[in-house]
Amino acid sequence: MWSGWWLWPLVAVCTADFFRDEAERIMRDSPVIDGHNDLPWQLLDMFNNRLQDERANLTTLAGTHTNIPKLRAGFVGGQFWSVYTPCDTQNKDAVRRTLEQMDVVHRMCRM
């Protein structure tokens, strides 16, 4: 039996920085384009689309997968914001909900 089992974790640690640096170089040269992001729906759920609420500030927003620092850290160079409405809005208020989501996306981008 090979007694060098301890070597593989050491190799992984030593090469991790190289692979991270290479991944960051690739992402700087070819930024990530995120094709779907439900942040607008989360803003409705958390703040009723009140973007002036200081907790909704996208540079300090907590409790979501998306905020400006996370987008920068992930080298996201482009974002498609999803205008989501749940299925239970059909035949009720789907159009109003869709227009509200479009409005919050426009206001969020202007901010």
Side-chain angles (χ1 to χ4, degrees):
M1 178 163 179
W2 187 57
S3 61
W5 60 268
W6 55 270
L7 182 61
W8 293 114
L10 181 61
V11 169
V13 168
C14 292
T15 58
D17 287 341
F18 168 77
F19 288 120
R20 180 176 179 92
D21 292 345
E22 181 66 7
E24 287 182 7
R25 184 195 63 74
I26 291 168
M27 289 187 291
R28 271 192 295 278
D29 293 343
S30 304
V32 172
I33 306 297
D34 185 351
H36 181 98
N37 193 319
D38 286 321
L39 181 62
W41 185 259
Q42 292 174 322
L43 295 172
L44 170 65
D45 189 47
M46 296 172 73
F47 309 110
N48 198 28
N49 287 340
R50 293 186 188 118
L51 299 182
Q52 69 277 11
D53 185 322
E54 64 186 40
R55 296 171 300 154
N57 183 329
L58 295 182
T59 58
T60 59
L61 181 64
T64 62
H65 291 127
T66 303
N67 63 30
I68 299 299
K70 289 177 183 177
L71 291 171
R72 287 186 178 138
F75 298 94
V76 176
Q79 180 66 72
F80 290 90
W81 301 107
S82 297
V83 177
Y84 168 79
T85 56
C87 291
D88 65 0
T89 63
Q90 289 180 349
N91 301 320
K92 296 178 191 170
D93 58 351
V95 172
R96 180 178 59 83
R97 288 287 187 181
T98 300
L99 292 172
E100 288 173 350
Q101 286 289 280
M102 291 168 64
D103 174 66
V104 80
V105 167
H106 285 282
R107 290 187 293 122
M108 181 181 64
C109 290
R110 277 194 303 266
M111 293 175 80

